[in-house]
Amino acid sequence: MEFLGDSSETDKKTMKKKRFHRHTPHQIQRLESAFNECQHPDEKQRMQLSRELGLAPRQIKFWFQNRRTQKKAQHERADNCALKEENDRIRCENIAIKEALKHTICPTCGDAPSHEDSYFDEQKLRIENAHLREELERVSSIAAKFMGRPLSHLPPLLNQMPFHGGPSLDFDLIPGSCSSMAAPTLPSQPNLVLSDIDKSVMTNIAVTAMEELIRLTQTNEPLWIKNDGARDVLNLGSYENMFPRASSRGGKNHNVRVEASRSSGVVFINAMTLVDMLMDSVKSAELFPSVVASSKTLAVVSSGLRGNHGEALHLMLEELQMLSPLVPTREFSVLRYCQQIEHGTWAIVNVSYELPQFISSSRPYRLPSGCLIQDMSNGYCKVTWVEHIEISEQEPIHEMFKDRVREGLAFGAERWIATLQRMCERFTALHEPATSSVIPSPEGKRSVMKLAQRMVNNFCLSVGTSNNTRSSTVVSGMNEFGIRVTSYKSQHEPNGMVLCAATSFWLPVSPLIVFNFLKDERTRPQWDVLLNGSSVQEVAHIANGSHPGNCISILRGFNASSSQNNMLILQESCVDSSGSLVVYTPLDLPALNMAMSGQDTSYIPILPSGFAVSPDGSRNDQIPELKVEGRGSGGGGSLITVGFQIMVSSLQSGKLNMESMETVNNLISSTVHHIKTTLNCPSTA
């Protein structure tokens, strides 16, 4: 009986399923047409459709009800999508408005607007205001030193309530912004925290400095006058009248000397790319390897507008050098501020900002300096550079470099512009197709050029007076001057200590003649004592500038006493109106093959040696053969710095033994002697 009962239930379900009826396509098409004409048919219309389609009136009624429900749901879904899109748009606008409010400045008080959640009770405001007044007294001397007016001229809101700076003025330490080169010896505190007053003072100093820089770049006589070499020299009388200050850093100290220069030139780079490089401490150091010994961003006081560096303000440490062991480096703590003057025109100003705990009367002071960058339609830009420094000389300048330093050529604007023009040409050449049959691939060319750039950077650090990357220093005498020997631990295999020896000497020979003599592989055996008289041949050549002297070469040595000629030398030579470099390093064949195949060369060990040549500054302002039109007087001698590096794996605890000292002394002495003899110069020159 149970089986029969189950069968009965199954039959009922089957009958119910069979009652389900699907309309034919013709019926649906006719019903849709009627629905489009009238969504609520009356009884007469339903009866007519019933007869026409062979459906019961009740079916017609239910179909129209279901169709109206379906259409209503479709409309609701469409409305929901539209509302969602509108909601997303409003949310994006809200976020954009909030971001814009972070950068707004109250026209009355000069501060960011406060919000309701930032208000405190009156007693707490009074306590905080008293604390800010103490900070105001602490930093007022710094502001008055540059701004020429007391800090009380700040917005009146300062005397009423504390600052509530927006996020754009947050003092964020940048641990990753340090250059691969060491930071200046200026003491730094990783946990340094600045108050809102400090940030406000920084901003005011930067804005005032920017106004001064713009006037310095755009004003000619009588503010700037031409000297005998047709260089722009600052008229200090006109400057003091135009920019009066309440106090002078030098005061009555007669040891304080002013160096001020201006220069301009067309650079093969667009303005925005150049602005990006100059506002980055690492990129700017790579852009000026022969000028900047080290650079570090201490803090981003203001990150600037979104998408560009407009209104960006950074606190930086910078060490500038001349490539000689006889000229001290110059260390600065500066504010670097960027501003877009108009469409296509930018200005970047550097001005010293001495943190109270590090103030030193002996450190050079950078008055408003920097550059005005004007974009040109052809991918170039015009750059006007100003350098303005007050320096108190604690020690006399070496006699060889006295004229060049005091004339403002060693650290002046002309050197910045000349280096910038040459390096921008080099960066352009980095992305051009390879033309050498030895290095046919673009990747291989870029890899070799990057290795050569690391070599030049290393050499520039090794011959200067910066102690930041050296563990010890020993000086040994040679004739009237000394050979500076430094040591540091090698970062690559084989492990050991590297000795760097450098000295400078003068020759009564044109700088370009000296450069060509040192660069030419045909004359190399006359001065390279390590060749033992063997000849060399250039097997690969990469041009990296418009001047034929700006190039990278791979040289192969031929040793007559050996059947194997595997001595390979990577050499880069560069020349501009401020001086020239010839830098080289020996490489083994596997390392060179790695570079030419486009592989990473950062782990290839190098020991760069070479020469830095510059005019002596006594009778010419620039290399006469490369002088800019209207500048330079011709004549004069050359200041030559020679540097060598050797690996000493047997040193214990970094101590320099007498044998190592004698080796580098003999190497430099022999090289200098060969150069003087070949160029017919007296040994005492």
Side-chain angles (χ1 to χ4, degrees), residues 90-108:
I90 294 174
R91 184 183 294 108
C92 291
E93 289 182 356
N94 190 24
I95 293 173
I97 292 172
K98 288 182 178 180
E99 289 296 322
L101 286 175
K102 294 179 180 179
H103 302 282
T104 56
I105 299 297
C106 176
T108 303

Side-chain angles (χ1 to χ4, degrees), residues 490 494-499 646-653 657 660:
S490 174
N495 294 324
M497 298 298 295
V498 176
L499 294 188
I646 62 173
M647 177 72 72
V648 186
S649 58
S650 61
L651 283 181
Q652 300 294 329
S653 304
N657 56 31
S660 303

Side-chain angles (χ1 to χ4, degrees), residues 275-309:
V275 168
D276 176 71
M277 297 182 76
L278 293 177
M279 291 303 295
D280 186 299
S281 60
V282 177
K283 292 179 180 178
S284 63
E286 293 176 350
L287 191 59
F288 301 98
S290 60
V291 181
V292 180
S294 58
S295 180
K296 179 181 180 180
T297 299
L298 280 184
V300 177
V301 183
S302 174
S303 58
L305 303 177
R306 182 180 298 180
N308 57 51
H309 292 281

Side-chain angles (χ1 to χ4, degrees), residues 23 47 100 148 184 188 261 278 282 295 300 390 501 522 535 540 542 668:
H23 300 312
M47 290 298 295
S188 59
S261 58
L278 293 177
V282 177
S295 180
V300 177
E390 285 184 352
R522 293 170 297 182
S535 61
I542 301 175
I668 283 192

Side-chain angles (χ1 to χ4, degrees), residues 203-327:
T203 303
N204 276 272
I205 290 177
V207 171
T208 305
M210 177 63 72
E211 295 172 356
E212 180 172 323
L213 175 68
I214 294 174
R215 295 180 69 181
L216 287 172
T217 57
Q218 297 179 343
T219 306
N220 294 318
E221 294 183 354
L223 184 61
W224 294 96
I225 56 177
K226 300 288 185 180
N227 68 355
D228 295 337
R231 297 172 52 243
D232 284 341
V233 178
L234 188 64
N235 185 336
L236 296 181
S238 298
Y239 173 79
E240 292 173 359
N241 292 332
M242 185 175 293
F243 305 104
R245 288 189 171 84
S247 61
S248 171
R249 185 175 183 269
K252 297 182 179 180
N253 187 354
H254 298 289
N255 291 327
V256 172
R257 182 172 49 81
V258 176
E259 295 178 9
S261 58
R262 183 179 69 171
S263 182
S264 62
V266 176
V267 182
F268 190 19
I269 192 173
N270 67 72
M272 278 304 303
T273 303
L274 182 57
V275 168
D276 176 71
M277 297 182 76
L278 293 177
M279 291 303 295
D280 186 299
S281 60
V282 177
K283 292 179 180 178
S284 63
E286 293 176 350
L287 191 59
F288 301 98
S290 60
V291 181
V292 180
S294 58
S295 180
K296 179 181 180 180
T297 299
L298 280 184
V300 177
V301 183
S302 174
S303 58
L305 303 177
R306 182 180 298 180
N308 57 51
H309 292 281
E311 310 301 326
L313 178 59
H314 298 177
L315 177 63
M316 306 178 72
L317 296 179
E318 196 169 53
E319 184 180 24
L320 307 183
Q321 65 178 350
M322 186 175 180
L323 299 183
S324 171
L326 304 179
V327 181

Side-chain angles (χ1 to χ4, degrees), residues 8-218:
S8 177
E9 290 295 328
T10 303
D11 292 341
K12 290 180 181 179
K13 292 180 180 179
T14 303
M15 291 176 63
K16 289 182 179 180
K17 290 182 179 179
K18 288 182 179 180
R19 290 173 185 167
F20 182 78
H21 177 74
R22 288 188 179 277
H23 300 312
T24 65
H26 170 70
Q27 291 173 334
I28 294 175
Q29 183 179 2
R30 180 67 183 90
L31 289 171
E32 286 286 353
S33 176
F35 183 81
N36 292 334
E37 296 177 0
C38 179
Q39 297 184 8
H40 296 274
D42 55 20
E43 185 176 354
K44 181 179 179 180
Q45 292 172 323
R46 290 197 298 270
M47 290 298 295
Q48 182 180 352
L49 288 172
S50 174
R51 290 191 298 270
E52 181 180 343
L53 300 176
L55 297 174
R58 186 179 181 86
Q59 288 179 296
I60 300 296
K61 180 179 179 180
F62 288 157
W63 187 91
F64 271 86
Q65 288 178 352
N66 293 338
R67 187 67 181 85
R68 287 194 295 269
T69 303
Q70 183 184 19
K71 187 169 185 179
K72 182 179 179 182
Q74 290 175 348
H75 282 303
E76 289 178 350
R77 283 195 296 270
D79 291 342
N80 287 339
C81 291
L83 290 173
K84 185 176 182 301
E85 292 178 358
E86 180 70 12
N87 188 35
D88 291 341
R89 184 183 64 80
I90 294 174
R91 184 183 294 108
C92 291
E93 289 182 356
N94 190 24
I95 293 173
I97 292 172
K98 288 182 178 180
E99 289 296 322
L101 286 175
K102 294 179 180 179
H103 302 282
T104 56
I105 299 297
C106 176
T108 303
C109 64
D111 190 22
S114 58
H115 305 283
E116 292 182 1
D117 57 358
S118 64
Y119 284 105
F120 301 91
D121 58 90
E122 182 178 354
Q123 184 63 23
K124 188 172 183 178
L125 286 175
R126 291 181 182 276
I127 296 174
E128 189 171 356
N129 195 26
H131 174 67
L132 291 177
R133 287 181 182 277
E134 294 178 359
E135 293 186 350
L136 177 60
E137 295 177 0
R138 179 175 61 84
V139 299
S140 60
S141 60
I142 305 174
K145 180 183 301 181
F146 173 76
M147 298 168 64
R149 54 185 172 87
L151 201 61
S152 59
H153 284 104
L154 285 174
L157 183 64
L158 176 64
N159 298 321
Q160 302 172 15
M161 60 181 296
F163 276 66
H164 298 285
S168 62
L169 291 179
D170 285 346
F171 186 86
D172 301 321
L173 290 179
I174 311 296
S177 64
C178 181
S179 169
S180 59
M181 295 174 287
T185 54
L186 174 67
S188 59
Q189 293 182 348
N191 298 322
L192 180 67
V193 177
L194 295 184
S195 66
D196 290 339
I197 285 289
D198 292 318
K199 300 172 190 177
S200 179
V201 171
M202 287 180 175
T203 303
N204 276 272
I205 290 177
V207 171
T208 305
M210 177 63 72
E211 295 172 356
E212 180 172 323
L213 175 68
I214 294 174
R215 295 180 69 181
L216 287 172
T217 57
Q218 297 179 343

